[in-house]
Amino acid sequence: RSPGVPSFLVVIGLGDVQVLQSLDRRAPGIRMLVVEPDAAVASRWLRHDTTAAWRAEGRLTPLIGPEYTGADRAWQAFPRHVDAIKVVAHPGLDTRHPEALRAARLVKDVVFGVRANAEARRKFAPRYLTNVLRNVPRIMRGRDVLSLSGQLRGVPAVIAAAGPSLDRVRGDLASVADRALLIAADTALRPLLAAGVEPHLVVGADPGAFNARHFASLPPCPRTWLVAESALDPMAADRFGTRTFWFELSGHHPWPWLNSMGIDIGRIEMWGSVLTAAFEVACLAGCDPIVFVGADLAFTGNRPYCRGTTYEFDWAARTALGEALADVWRREIDLKSPVVVADLDGRPTTTAEHLVSFRDWLVARAGRSGRRVVNATGGGILAGDAIETRPLDAVVPCD
């Protein structure tokens, strides 16, 4: 490879197949993510034998505008160990054109997600390894998530996240429990139980000890089953005993070793948030429609979460020291590098880049799910072509 040429390249606007031919000479083995805003231009270079060879070798991942199908999975094209990411744009690209700007924003979002994913792997790798090993006896006693496959075909699913808007609807969820599968994200479990709502499933994936607090000292929930990623803190899993469905994310160690001994569980696709894993569980079970509540993915009303989560204990400690609760929430939001985007009604709302990334993944995944996907949150930013916005009782009638 010529000096200065990276092993992986992100290109906005390939323009011509000669770029690939030149790279074959100067940088054999280089891999590329190509974001091509012009579908007509893409149709020319996609038909070429050189392009076909690159794609057959797994060296070229194309995202073609205006749909950019596959953008939610583009992170898979990047090398496992991400350092500097080189992004180049075709010199003939009109950077002022709306489609060029949209392509650039897409690249920014993909790169943000890749870096966040790499940082999460770096941060959690030791704990992931040790937690999986500690959970092996629990995994052997529990059930494989794949046992849920198609078991609830055509049954509505309601997925509850712990966004601020959950406060408005959580009292209604008890009345739909006999006609829908209720799935709680880990943070939402405690607020639901406090409202007398016992979900059928709760999903937990974060291996951190801090996240395990969401499962500590819970009210009784004997009918709730846990859907747990294999590295979930063992303390969280112990709360549910054998009422646990297990899954794994990516085949990281120690799974190759466990597989060699005949220990295996199903894999679920997930993008950064347990909310995305909950959606995959609903799809796996065959549910349709799939309805989100409390999924603001934004700090609606300048609040980081709904009331009644584990974070309530932290807020209470700080208000006991004299801080106003609104100031506690503001400081917490400020730590998340907030940005302002349009909400469901087109009004500006505060969110964060990682929450926007989760929104974009869910929108893309909804589009290829084959399900009716509805956002009944009533606030926040979860909107897109494949997601309806309707009240909960318009989709799953309440008593």
Side-chain angles (χ1 to χ4, degrees):
R1 179 179 289 111
S2 301
V5 179
S7 60
F8 187 85
L9 195 61
V10 180
V11 176
I12 304 176
L14 184 66
D16 196 290
V17 75
Q18 291 181 357
V19 175
L20 302 181
Q21 295 167 340
S22 176
L23 285 170
D24 270 337
R25 294 189 297 270
R26 296 188 58 205
I30 190 174
R31 295 165 56 207
M32 295 174 59
L33 172 69
V34 175
V35 180
E36 179 60 75
D38 192 327
V41 171
S43 68
R44 293 195 294 269
W45 56 258
L46 281 171
R47 292 195 302 265
H48 201 279
D49 290 345
T50 300
T51 307
W54 274 63
R55 297 184 72 178
E57 295 167 5
R59 296 171 56 203
L60 176 65
T61 301
L63 298 178
I64 310 303
E67 293 85 5
Y68 297 111
T69 302
D72 59 318
R73 303 186 299 278
W75 63 273
Q76 297 172 349
F78 285 73
R80 179 178 175 84
H81 299 289
V82 179
D83 295 317
I85 297 176
K86 182 71 172 178
V87 179
V88 297
H90 191 281
L93 192 68
D94 182 359
T95 56
R96 296 168 297 180
H97 193 279
E99 280 304 313
L101 293 173
R102 183 163 171 252
R105 286 194 295 269
L106 176 67
V107 168
K108 178 183 176 183
D109 292 343
V110 169
V111 170
F112 172 83
V114 167
R115 286 177 170 157
N117 204 28
E119 173 60 20
R121 285 198 304 268
R122 183 200 65 76
K123 178 179 178 182
F124 289 119
R127 185 176 294 275
Y128 185 94
L129 178 66
T130 56
N131 279 4
V132 174
L133 291 174
R134 293 168 64 196
N135 278 331
V136 168
R138 298 169 179 84
I139 291 170
M140 300 298 290
R141 292 192 300 268
R143 299 190 185 184
D144 187 336
V145 73
L146 294 184
S147 64
L148 287 171
S149 299
Q151 294 300 307
L152 296 166
R153 195 171 304 280
V155 174
V158 178
I159 300 174
S165 295
L166 184 63
D167 289 339
R168 294 202 298 262
V169 299
R170 59 180 166 178
D172 298 330
L173 297 181
S175 62
V176 301
D178 62 343
R179 67 201 71 177
L181 175 69
L182 298 184
I183 306 175
D186 48 12
T187 318
L189 179 58
R190 190 182 303 274
L192 292 183
L193 294 175
V197 179
E198 189 173 353
H200 302 105
L201 300 176
V202 57
V203 183
D206 188 326
F210 188 80
N211 183 71
R213 298 195 313 165
H214 301 314
F215 298 97
S217 302
L218 289 170
C221 51
R223 293 184 296 276
T224 299
W225 282 63
L226 173 66
V227 182
E229 206 288 319
S230 59
L232 189 70
D233 190 287
M235 184 276 289
D238 283 344
R239 179 68 177 78
F240 297 87
T242 58
R243 290 181 289 115
T244 305
F245 297 99
W246 291 94
F247 70 95
E248 57 102 353
L249 289 176
S250 56
H252 294 323
H253 289 294
W255 276 108
W257 175 65
L258 293 175
N259 292 160
S260 71
M261 295 189 294
I263 302 173
D264 196 12
I265 52 177
R267 182 173 298 181
I268 283 184
E269 187 176 357
M270 175 178 159
W271 181 245
S273 166
V274 69
L275 186 62
T276 65
F279 182 76
E280 290 298 300
V281 169
C283 289
L284 176 70
C287 294
D288 194 0
I290 300 173
V291 186
F292 288 99
V293 295
D296 296 75
L297 298 176
F299 308 121
T300 305
N302 295 315
R303 292 193 292 151
Y305 295 97
C306 66
R307 302 307 303 263
T309 70
T310 304
Y311 303 112
E312 203 82 40
F313 302 110
D314 304 323
W315 301 342
R318 291 169 65 178
T319 55
L321 295 174
E323 286 190 73
L325 184 55
D327 292 335
V328 173
W329 288 338
R330 188 186 70 251
R331 292 178 192 276
E332 187 167 331
I333 292 170
D334 287 345
L335 291 174
K336 301 180 186 295
S337 301
V339 296
V340 176
V341 302
D343 69 5
L344 298 177
D345 299 315
R347 297 188 295 257
T349 191
T350 305
T351 181
E353 285 193 1
H354 67 283
L355 298 178
V356 174
S357 175
F358 302 156
R359 186 274 311 275
D360 293 344
W361 189 96
L362 285 168
V363 169
R365 180 66 182 91
R368 56 186 174 87
S369 69
R371 316 300 165 87
R372 181 188 180 197
V373 182
V374 180
N375 181 16
T377 296
I381 65 169
L382 181 55
D385 291 340
I387 300 180
E388 301 176 35
T389 302
R390 295 172 66 84
L392 177 62
D393 60 5
V395 188
V396 184
C398 303
D399 290 337

